Amino acid sequence: AEVILPDYFEALNRDFRYQLTVMGEFAQAIISDEISDNSFTIRTDKPNVKVSWQVTGVRKDPWAAENRILVEEKKNQTLQGHYLYPELYDNSENRLVVRFK
């Protein structure tokens, strides 16, 4: 199956990552042709297989290049265990984050 992306996709992104999930039955799915001319191709080992896909990339426009999002920031000691924006969580400034073990 050929997947057609928006016209701007390659102009705004680079370093593509693909995720494929086969739906409803066991089958193999691969990217047989990577993104080129704003499209890519998925191939499966069985006919008529439903495949959910997601493509992500790193934005390459000038604003994004100057304003990269940090994946994870270390909180200072006084903020650890607390929400950064408590007003979004019952307006309780002292409410602790639930921690799962």
Side-chain angles (χ1 to χ4, degrees), residues 27-100:
Q28 293 180 336
I30 64 166
I31 302 296
S32 58
D33 295 306
E34 294 187 38
I35 293 175
S36 177
D37 296 324
N38 295 308
S39 70
F40 67 96
T41 306
I42 298 172
R43 189 175 77 206
T44 61
D45 66 337
K46 297 178 182 176
N48 302 313
V49 173
K50 184 176 180 180
V51 177
S52 174
W53 60 269
Q54 178 178 343
V55 174
T56 58
V58 176
R59 282 178 50 186
K60 64 180 181 181
D61 60 276
W63 188 90
E66 290 297 318
N67 298 279
R68 290 285 174 223
I69 297 172
L70 296 174
V71 176
E72 186 174 353
E73 292 184 56
K74 196 87 163 149
K75 288 182 181 178
N76 68 39
Q77 195 70 21
T78 59
L79 291 177
Q80 288 182 11
H82 298 272
Y83 291 114
L84 289 177
Y85 302 99
E87 65 276 9
L88 301 176
Y89 299 91
D90 299 333
N91 284 326
S92 174
E93 296 226 6
N94 295 320
R95 184 173 177 184
L96 287 175
V97 176
V98 176
R99 295 176 191 234
F100 298 96

